């Protein structure tokens, strides 16, 4: 009962803060919607409004090359009142999504998979935060609040990613598969999370099995979930095909844009500037290299951290926040929300102050450098790209430092006599 009251206070205060910002600062959402740090060509609320206008006037939303988002978002937003007359209705939808994300993160924390898994028990398991603290770290993260106000569609992908992770940690195969299908349908890259999530779900089902015969067969388990994920994504794509007038045009406009990067609108990622400077004859080669680079982490991390599949998911979300084609601070907020589950490894991280300072530095100077480039005309693209490099470097080092901390935690679990002693990487 005490937990429920604390949870109600947490959710109520988080919702009240967001409603206050929507109501008393009515121009703030539109201002943030245009920020390249929050909105990308594949998540922008303005582009969604453009597609929605075409959709409600019986015109293909993909005519004109502006709308690059999943078709099933259109009927959802068409049910809401006109955002120009009743903006609070859309705001309430995004507030509910934030609360659902926080609830899923708290469910994930309740499973204890971050500290105790099938093969590993952290010697620092008692240092973990409770559910309320983890939920608060997500709901009151400035990146999460700014994302809610800017209303990008990336919040729906984040919701389904967290739901898929929480259900996998609970051993619920069907719910995990459905949630991951929706996440992959909306943003494409979450499909790369399937291997560690499948391991997480399999381990949980083995732990919950009461007899040897009731344990899932690994081959059957894998095939069943691969087929389930494929069927789920296929069903969503076919529904989209019917929704868009029996046309597959949406495939290139949604997934082709992410794979081939035709829209080089600036963002906080690394791809846009690189491919602006790229000769066309090398473009296809480096597109393959960039995608292969991002996907290559999945196998290596899943193999090395087999004992902790939940941490693999968390680390991959941090990697995707840096190396996907169109990242935003929404992806960073999701990563930090998941990283809060690993509060017990923070004392083992070596460069916490430096990395936080680097992110704060980039967070404040990023908008300033963009203004100097686009509005003041006293800078060029190098100004903004340089600060995005600092941002990406800071995030990359946080991921790397957390990897070191988890490895150190595993090492001390194997050799308790080395706890607290200096270790040197060779």
């Amino acid at each position: 009962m005490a937990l429920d009251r604390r949870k109600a206070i947490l959710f109520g205060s988080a919702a009240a803060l967001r409603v206050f910002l929507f109501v008393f600062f009515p121009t703030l959402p539109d201002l943030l919607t245009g920020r390249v740090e929050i909105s990308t060509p594949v998540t922008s609320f303005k582009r969604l409004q453009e597609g929605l206008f075409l959709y409600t006037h019986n015109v293909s939303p993909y005519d004109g090359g502006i709308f690059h988002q999943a078709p099933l978002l259109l009927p959802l937003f068409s049910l809401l009142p006109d955002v120009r007359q009743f903006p609070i209705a859309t705001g309430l939808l995004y507030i509910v999504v934030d609360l659902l994300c926080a609830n899923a993160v708290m469910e994930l924390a309740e499973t204890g998979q971050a500290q105790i898994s099938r093969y590993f028990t952290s010697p620092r398991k008692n240092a973990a935060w409770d559910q309320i603290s983890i939920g608060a770290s997500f709901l009151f993260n400035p990146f999460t609040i700014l994302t809610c106000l800017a209303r990008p569609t990336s919040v729906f992908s984040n919701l389904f990613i967290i739901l898929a992770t929480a259900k996998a940690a609970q051993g619920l195969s069907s719910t995990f598969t459905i949630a991951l299908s929706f996440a992959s349908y909306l943003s494409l890259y979450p499909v790369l999370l399937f291997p560690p999530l499948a391991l997480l779900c399999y381990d949980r089902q083995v732990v919950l099995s009461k007899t040897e015969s009731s344990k899932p067969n690994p081959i059957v388990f894998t095939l069943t979930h691969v087929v389930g994920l494929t069927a789920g994504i296929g069903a969503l794509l076919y529904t989209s095909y019917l929704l868009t007038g029996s046309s597959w045009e949406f495939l290139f406009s949604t997934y082709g844009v992410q794979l081939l990067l035709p829209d080089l609108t600036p963002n906080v990622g690394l791809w846009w500037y690189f491919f602006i400077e790229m000769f066309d004859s090398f473009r296809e080669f480096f597109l393959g290299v960039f995608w292969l680079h991002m996907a290559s982490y999945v196998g290596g991390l899943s193999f090395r951290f087999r004992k902790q599949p939940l941490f693999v998911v968390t680390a991959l979300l941090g990697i995707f926040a840096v190396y996907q084609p169109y990242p935003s601070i929404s992806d960073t907020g999701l990563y930090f929300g998941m990283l809060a589950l690993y509060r017990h490894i923070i004392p083992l991280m070596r460069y916490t102050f430096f990395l936080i300072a680097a992110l704060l530095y980039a967070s404040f100077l990023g908008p300033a450098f963009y203004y100097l480039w686009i509005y003041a005309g006293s800078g060029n693209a190098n100004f903004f790209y340089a600060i995005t490099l600092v941002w990406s470097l800071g995030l990359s080092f946080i991921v790397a430092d957390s990897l070191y901390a988890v490895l150190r935690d595993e090492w001390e679990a194997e050799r308790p006599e080395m706890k607290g002693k200096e270790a040197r990487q060779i």
Side-chain angles (χ1 to χ4, degrees), residues 109 112-117 120-126 128-129 308 341-344:
Q113 289 291 309
Q115 296 81 35
I116 304 174
S117 63
F120 176 75
T121 298
S122 172
R124 295 175 173 81
K125 60 182 182 296
N126 295 324
W129 279 336
Q308 301 189 66
L341 298 167
Y342 288 89
R343 182 258 174 254
H344 59 284

Side-chain angles (χ1 to χ4, degrees), residues 49-95:
Q49 292 301 110
E50 176 73 19
L52 187 61
F53 177 84
L54 297 175
Y55 172 74
T56 54
H57 288 77
N58 296 318
V59 179
S60 172
Y62 300 101
D63 286 350
I66 297 296
F67 182 64
H68 300 304
Q69 298 167 52
L72 290 184
L73 291 171
L74 297 171
L76 170 63
F77 281 88
S78 66
L79 298 174
L80 298 175
D82 189 342
V83 69
R84 291 168 295 182
Q85 299 179 9
F86 302 100
I88 191 61
T90 305
L92 289 175
L93 172 64
Y94 278 84
I95 291 172

Side-chain angles (χ1 to χ4, degrees), residues 101-113:
C101 287
N103 187 67
V105 171
M106 292 169 68
E107 287 184 0
L108 188 55
E110 187 179 7
T111 65
Q113 289 291 309

Side-chain angles (χ1 to χ4, degrees), residues 316-338:
L316 287 176
L317 289 175
I319 290 169
F320 296 157
V322 178
Y323 295 114
Q324 65 169 297
Y326 296 106
S328 69
I329 65 171
S330 171
D331 305 297
T332 307
L334 173 62
Y335 170 59
F336 285 159
M338 295 288 288

